[in-house]
Amino acid sequence: MVDTKTPGDKTLSVPSKTLTLKPRVETGTVRQSFSHGRTKQVVVEKRGKRRLAGEAPAAEASGAPEPTVAKAASARPPLARPAAPVAPRNNSGVVLRTLTEDERSARASALADAKARDDEERRLAEEEAKRRNSKEGIEQAEREAAEARRKAEEERHRQDEEAKRKAELEAKKRFGEVEARAAAATARAAAAPPARPPGVAAEASDEDEAPRQVRRGPGGAMRPVAAPKTTAKPSPQKQRGRLTLVTALNADDVRERSIASFRRRTQRLKGHASSEPKEKLTREVVIPEAINIQELANRMSERAVDVIRLLMKQGAMHKITDVIDADTAQLIAEELGHTVKRVAASDVEEGLFDVVDDSTDTEPRSPVVTVMGHVDHGKTSLLDALRHANVVSGEAGGITQHIGAYQVASPDGRKITFIDTPGHAAFTAMRARGAKVTDIVILVVAADDGVMPQTVEAINHAKAAKVPMIVAINKIDKPDARPERVRTELLQHEVQVESLGGEVVDVEVSAKNKTNLDRLLEMISLQAELLDLKTNAARPAEGTVIEAKLDRGRGPVATVLVQRGTLRVGDIVVAGAEMGRVRALISDKGETLEEAGPSVPVEVLGFNGPPEAGDRLAVVENEARARQVTSYRAHQKRENAAASISGMRGSLEQMMSQLKTSGRKEFPLIVKADVQGSLEAILGSLEKLGTDEVAARILHAGVGGISESDVTLAEGFNAAILGFSVRANKEAAAAAKRNGIEIRYYNIIYDLVDDIKTAMSGLLAPTLRETMLGNAQILEVFNISKVGKVAGCRVTDGTVERGANVRLIRDNVVVHEGKLSTLKRFKDEVKEVASGQECGMAFENYGDMRVGDIIECYRVETIQRSL
């Protein structure tokens, strides 16, 4: 069919086979060469111009090289609307069949798809170029920042001018070689032969074919470089990025140095400046009391060899692991130009106690009152009358052997904290401890007994603690009570009561009849108002351990008097060498509390072990700080114990005293008590029993029941075990019975002390005492065969006994001491001869007797000593 609407168009010949579109892209591979001998295989696509059937490929026939895709795309005119089909003709001029409507639509759709693909490729190329531009901008900024840092570093570390000039010349020379190589590559790309396959970059082959020179770099490696050309102009900077078809076929640009090459060049330039002298860095070095050389070098960032070299200059030879003292370490650090901060191991305790409170946050607190006085003057009975309780009946023997803390409400509703102390001489430490934590001291004096030794001691404790005193004259209900005598006796110890013109308040009371108790509480409240007792209850708690014990069911229990702040359940506390988390707080009435404020006595449960009585308690922020403090205190405790035991330490006087007591006998003991205060009193009393000849040796002393390990220790040293208000468990009792270890139980301290005193007295050597019997004078000396010499004597005074000890005195000089072996009267053996009678005497193993000698007869008696 022929279309006559466009008669000027040529006819197209249509083959008989089905119309299909041939692929317009032909692919090939090109190997690119890079610097340092690196190569890469690149896939290159070749696209031919679309031709109509019957046209001769003029470009191929002429042998001209095919233009690249980028140039062909730019030279191709935009696609026009497809023309109307004409009748095709063959070579012989025969008109062929025209394209059908389906074929034309298929052709149009194929052309549209090709255009869409071209647009998509162009868009992708533009996006790739933008991405490369942004990446190149970032890299350029990095290079500029690196260059700026390098310049700042060179400015700060200035070297001499000659070295700097040489470095700059070498840098310029290397940079010129790179530019010359880039210019040569551009020139070779312009002169490329036309027969080279399309799409291949010119620079790679030119670099392969160009003559190469060999140059040695700073590291000694051999690498080929192109000969420099000074006339070449540097090419414009090229966008770097991933190698794609567009970048590979773009012959107008020339490859330049990569980022890695630029970084290597920067490192080479910096390498010349590495020989510059570095600036000395000064550090603050923390030096403890002792430090080893390696740790000191690490803290100064110096070499340990340099530290050892300095020590050798000072005449000291050390290894890297040797420990040096703080003074030597400070000298070394200062000589190396560092500053020193000295710290001590005791610094871990800083900030635990005595932190100043803000005066605006303080509030009034209850007064702490300590009851002191002589034994049996009624201290505990007076406190029982105030508390409406009966503590005396619970104490063994009716005497106080434990320190107790209680709270009593005064008539005006205020709380008053009372601390009861023992009055016996053995509990001096307890009384001193009670005076330290108190605000007011009540001195209890019996009206019928007057001032006694422990009363004087209590007065001295109160004066040493600098606390006000209130005198309570007790037992005024007795017929022989004389309060005026008490006031007069107190004047001897500088205690002047108000009735005698002094400042000390005195109150006459009767604990038995509860007389004047309200007035006593009123005086305590008045004295507390004068003291103006205030503290901050919102801060972490501080307090003092009044008493400590080991309870079988509850574990370590400490009676604590909170002095500042508020103690809460869950707080981490430290007391002496023990730490723990508060599990429970129990009041003096047995009630469980959630918190305890200032001046409140409580029992604290949760310690790892029983602390010592008198230890200060503090709340810390975490367990790490608590472990740090307790480990330091435990270390100090071990060192003090070792120093007291070791005989190599101490002063000259201590060494002399040890020489004197080196031969004394020891009485080994193991002491277990119910509370820390009683144990302290027992140990103090036993220590006072010791003399130069015998002393008690305490192998172990602790709080709690007697265990099997105590029995094992006693067996090794053949020691006795003393239990004060405690008992041995079943296993320990069986082991003691099996091994023959004596366990003695006591609940009154004086019974324990008396028994130990009697046992230690048995270790003392007895005393020998001479008793004179009589004197005799030798009148004649007889020499009897088989007997020896016999002296005929007359007894001048006393009596002479056979077997008694005798002394032979000649010219008032003792020439012999021995025993009288023979005593005869008229040839008969007699036991004794009275004064004025004559007798015959013979000595054991001695015969040098002369007329006129005096014989002194005496008896030696052995007397057992006691402490």
Side-chain angles (χ1 to χ4, degrees):
M1 185 177 70
V2 179
D3 190 1
T4 58
K5 290 183 179 180
T6 55
D9 292 342
K10 295 181 179 181
T11 59
L12 298 175
S13 59
V14 180
S16 60
K17 62 182 179 180
T18 308
L19 181 63
T20 59
L21 291 176
K22 295 183 180 180
R24 299 173 53 198
V25 180
E26 295 182 7
T27 60
T29 58
V30 175
R31 179 175 296 276
Q32 284 189 318
S33 299
F34 300 96
S35 61
H36 302 283
R38 295 180 290 117
T39 60
K40 182 177 181 182
Q41 191 85 5
V42 181
V43 178
V44 180
E45 296 179 355
K46 176 183 175 183
R47 295 185 179 181
K49 185 178 179 181
R50 190 176 188 86
R51 301 180 186 86
L52 297 176
E55 292 184 2
E60 293 181 0
S62 62
E66 190 72 23
T68 60
V69 175
K71 292 182 179 180
S74 62
R76 186 166 55 229
L79 295 176
R81 184 180 302 173
V86 296
R89 296 176 182 270
N90 59 5
N91 295 334
S92 60
V94 180
V95 178
L96 301 177
R97 185 178 59 88
T98 61
L99 297 175
T100 62
E101 190 67 25
D102 293 339
E103 291 174 345
R104 286 198 300 271
S105 63
R107 179 179 179 182
S109 62
L111 293 176
D113 292 343
K115 182 178 180 181
R117 282 196 300 272
D118 291 342
D119 294 341
E120 182 67 20
E121 290 176 357
R122 191 177 297 108
R123 185 182 62 81
L124 293 176
E126 291 175 356
E127 291 180 355
E128 182 69 22
K130 290 180 181 179
R131 187 161 55 250
R132 286 196 304 273
N133 288 336
S134 62
K135 185 176 180 181
E136 182 63 24
I138 295 173
E139 292 173 352
Q140 181 66 22
E142 290 178 355
R143 288 196 296 272
E144 291 176 356
E147 189 68 19
R149 286 194 298 270
R150 183 184 66 81
K151 289 180 179 179
E153 188 72 18
E154 289 179 354
E155 183 66 25
R156 201 154 43 90
H157 304 287
R158 194 178 298 275
Q159 64 178 358
D160 58 277
E161 293 299 329
E162 185 64 21
K164 183 176 180 181
R165 185 179 60 82
K166 290 181 179 180
E168 290 177 354
L169 289 176
E170 188 173 354
K172 290 179 180 180
K173 181 180 177 181
R174 292 181 180 177
F175 193 68
E177 290 177 357
V178 174
E179 291 180 348
R181 186 173 56 188
T186 306
R188 283 193 298 273
R196 188 174 303 277
V200 179
E203 182 185 358
S205 63
D206 288 344
E207 287 185 357
D208 292 339
E209 294 171 4
R212 294 173 178 264
Q213 296 179 358
V214 177
R215 183 171 64 84
R216 185 178 298 272
M222 304 293 291
R223 58 180 182 180
V225 297
K229 292 183 181 180
T230 57
T231 58
K233 291 179 62 179
S235 62
Q237 187 177 7
K238 182 187 173 183
Q239 299 175 354
R240 297 185 181 90
R242 183 168 56 89
L243 185 64
T244 61
L245 179 64
V246 177
T247 57
L249 297 179
N250 192 355
D252 295 338
D253 296 335
V254 180
R255 289 179 58 251
E256 294 182 355
R257 298 176 59 198
S258 64
I259 299 176
S261 176
F262 182 82
R263 289 174 179 167
R264 287 194 297 271
R265 172 178 171 272
T266 306
Q267 290 176 359
R268 286 197 300 271
L269 293 178
K270 285 185 178 181
H272 291 280
S274 61
S275 60
E276 301 175 8
K278 294 185 177 180
E279 183 183 352
K280 183 70 175 179
L281 297 179
T282 303
R283 290 179 170 80
E284 185 183 30
V285 183
V286 178
I287 297 180
E289 295 175 347
I291 186 172
N292 63 17
I293 294 176
Q294 179 66 66
E295 179 64 22
L296 177 62
N298 292 341
R299 295 187 181 188
M300 297 187 298
S301 296
E302 302 282 352
R303 297 190 307 163
V305 178
D306 297 336
V307 178
I308 295 175
R309 186 180 296 114
L310 289 176
L311 290 171
M312 291 174 64
K313 289 181 180 179
Q314 297 177 0
M317 300 294 293
H318 288 285
K319 301 189 298 295
I320 196 172
T321 56
D322 288 351
V323 177
I324 59 178
D325 60 291
D327 294 334
T328 305
Q330 181 176 356
L331 291 175
I332 295 297
E334 290 177 349
E335 190 168 350
L336 291 173
H338 302 285
T339 58
V340 175
K341 179 181 179 182
R342 294 282 292 270
V343 296
S346 58
D347 291 345
V348 298
E349 294 185 336
E350 289 185 357
L352 278 181
F353 304 106
D354 302 328
V355 180
V356 179
D357 289 333
D358 188 359
S359 59
T360 60
D361 297 335
T362 57
E363 56 186 25
R365 65 173 178 86
S366 304
V368 179
V369 181
T370 300
V371 182
M372 304 176 74
H374 192 70
V375 58
D376 290 337
H377 277 202
K379 298 180 297 301
T380 306
S381 300
L382 178 61
L383 192 56
D384 287 345
L386 293 172
R387 295 178 61 233
H388 307 289
N390 188 11
V391 178
V392 174
S393 61
E395 292 282 357
I399 60 175
T400 300
Q401 301 178 104
H402 302 81
I403 189 168
Y406 316 97
Q407 269 200 329
V408 176
S410 62
D412 56 357
R414 298 180 182 178
K415 294 277 188 176
I416 300 175
T417 301
F418 283 94
I419 297 177
D420 186 17
T421 60
H424 299 270
F427 296 95
T428 302
M430 280 193 185
R431 286 190 293 275
R433 196 157 51 242
K436 286 180 182 178
V437 300
T438 189
D439 300 317
I440 302 170
V441 169
I442 294 182
L443 183 64
V444 179
V445 186
D448 60 340
D449 221 358
V451 176
M452 300 297 286
Q454 269 64 58
T455 308
V456 178
E457 183 184 310
I459 294 172
N460 295 332
H461 284 315
K463 290 181 178 179
K466 297 180 180 180
V467 292
M469 188 187 311
I470 297 176
V471 177
I473 304 175
N474 196 14
K475 301 183 181 181
I476 61 172
D477 57 303
K478 284 194 171 184
D480 54 348
R482 290 185 296 171
E484 291 301 327
R485 189 191 74 168
V486 173
R487 296 185 177 95
T488 305
E489 290 177 351
L490 288 175
L491 288 174
Q492 301 175 8
H493 304 283
E494 300 179 359
V495 177
Q496 189 174 4
V497 298
E498 287 183 343
S499 58
L500 298 180
E503 296 180 354
V504 179
V505 179
D506 64 314
V507 181
E508 296 181 4
V509 296
S510 172
K512 182 178 179 182
N513 298 333
K514 298 183 180 181
T515 306
N516 290 337
L517 296 184
D518 293 342
R519 186 168 182 271
L520 177 62
L521 293 176
E522 184 180 348
M523 291 295 105
I524 293 173
S525 300
L526 180 61
Q527 189 68 48
E529 289 181 2
L530 294 176
L531 293 175
D532 191 21
L533 303 172
K534 290 184 178 181
T535 187
N536 183 9
R539 53 160 293 161
E542 291 181 16
T544 302
V545 178
I546 303 297
E547 195 62 274
K549 61 182 178 180
L550 188 63
D551 194 291
R552 187 184 183 104
R554 300 185 297 173
V557 180
T559 302
V560 176
L561 175 65
V562 181
Q563 295 171 296
R564 305 167 74 184
T566 302
L567 183 63
R568 297 178 176 84
V569 175
D571 286 347
I572 300 173
V573 293
V574 173
E578 301 295 339
M579 60 166 285
R581 186 183 294 272
V582 179
R583 291 192 288 111
L585 297 173
I586 301 174
S587 67
D588 59 314
K589 298 181 177 61
E591 301 172 353
T592 302
L593 306 176
E594 288 297 324
E595 61 180 25
S599 303
V600 176
V602 289
E603 285 188 344
V604 179
L605 279 66
F607 280 100
N608 295 340
E612 294 185 2
D615 287 341
R616 296 186 67 182
L617 177 138
V619 175
V620 295
E621 57 271 13
N622 50 41
E623 291 187 4
R625 177 76 189 280
R627 282 192 295 269
Q628 196 175 15
V629 174
T630 53
S631 62
Y632 164 72
R633 290 178 174 176
H635 178 70
Q636 292 293 107
K637 194 174 180 181
R638 288 193 299 269
E639 281 194 349
N640 295 336
S644 61
I645 293 174
S646 176
M648 298 301 293
R649 303 181 184 180
S651 62
L652 182 62
E653 291 80 3
Q654 292 172 343
M655 294 176 64
M656 295 299 293
S657 64
Q658 288 172 2
L659 288 175
K660 290 180 181 178
T661 60
S662 59
R664 69 179 180 180
K665 299 178 181 179
E666 292 182 341
F667 189 63
L669 291 172
I670 294 176
V671 183
K672 299 300 285 289
D674 56 342
V675 296
Q676 193 75 35
S678 299
L679 179 66
E680 184 181 37
I682 292 170
L683 296 181
S685 300
L686 294 179
E687 187 177 354
K688 291 178 182 178
L689 292 178
T691 62
D692 293 341
E693 299 180 38
V694 64
R697 181 186 177 189
I698 307 300
L699 298 176
H700 174 64
V703 175
I706 301 171
S707 62
E708 196 170 359
S709 61
D710 298 329
V711 177
T712 305
L713 181 61
E715 180 185 2
F717 289 88
N718 194 21
I721 301 177
L722 307 180
F724 185 80
S725 299
V726 295
R727 292 293 181 268
N729 56 35
K730 185 178 180 181
E731 294 80 6
K737 184 177 181 180
R738 183 171 60 251
N739 298 322
I741 303 300
E742 183 182 9
I743 300 178
R744 290 199 173 189
Y745 301 109
Y746 300 92
N747 54 8
I748 299 176
I749 188 172
Y750 291 109
D751 294 343
L752 182 148
V753 174
D754 291 343
D755 285 358
I756 299 302
K757 186 176 181 180
T758 303
M760 290 174 61
S761 298
L763 298 177
L764 292 174
T767 301
L768 300 178
R769 186 172 63 185
E770 294 182 0
T771 302
M772 294 299 299
L773 298 178
N775 295 328
Q777 184 178 9
I778 298 178
L779 302 178
E780 190 66 39
V781 179
F782 303 99
N783 194 356
I784 302 175
S785 60
K786 298 182 181 180
V787 176
K789 290 186 178 182
V790 175
C793 308
R794 178 185 292 117
V795 180
T796 58
D797 60 344
T799 60
V800 176
E801 295 180 357
R802 185 180 61 189
N805 294 324
V806 293
R807 291 189 186 95
L808 183 63
I809 300 174
R810 183 178 302 156
D811 298 331
N812 295 326
V813 177
V814 177
V815 295
H816 174 69
E817 288 189 7
K819 285 202 172 191
L820 190 63
S821 60
T822 303
L823 181 61
K824 289 188 177 183
R825 179 173 171 77
F826 301 115
K827 299 182 180 180
D828 295 331
E829 288 281 350
V830 293
K831 293 181 63 177
E832 63 179 20
V833 177
S835 174
Q837 297 180 353
E838 295 182 353
C839 60
M841 297 183 188
F843 297 161
E844 289 182 354
N845 303 324
Y846 189 77
D848 186 14
M849 296 175 288
R850 299 179 186 179
V851 177
D853 292 347
I854 302 298
I855 297 174
E856 186 179 90
C857 187
Y858 63 94
R859 182 190 303 122
V860 176
E861 295 179 353
T862 301
I863 299 176
Q864 184 64 40
R865 296 166 57 196
S866 61
L867 294 174

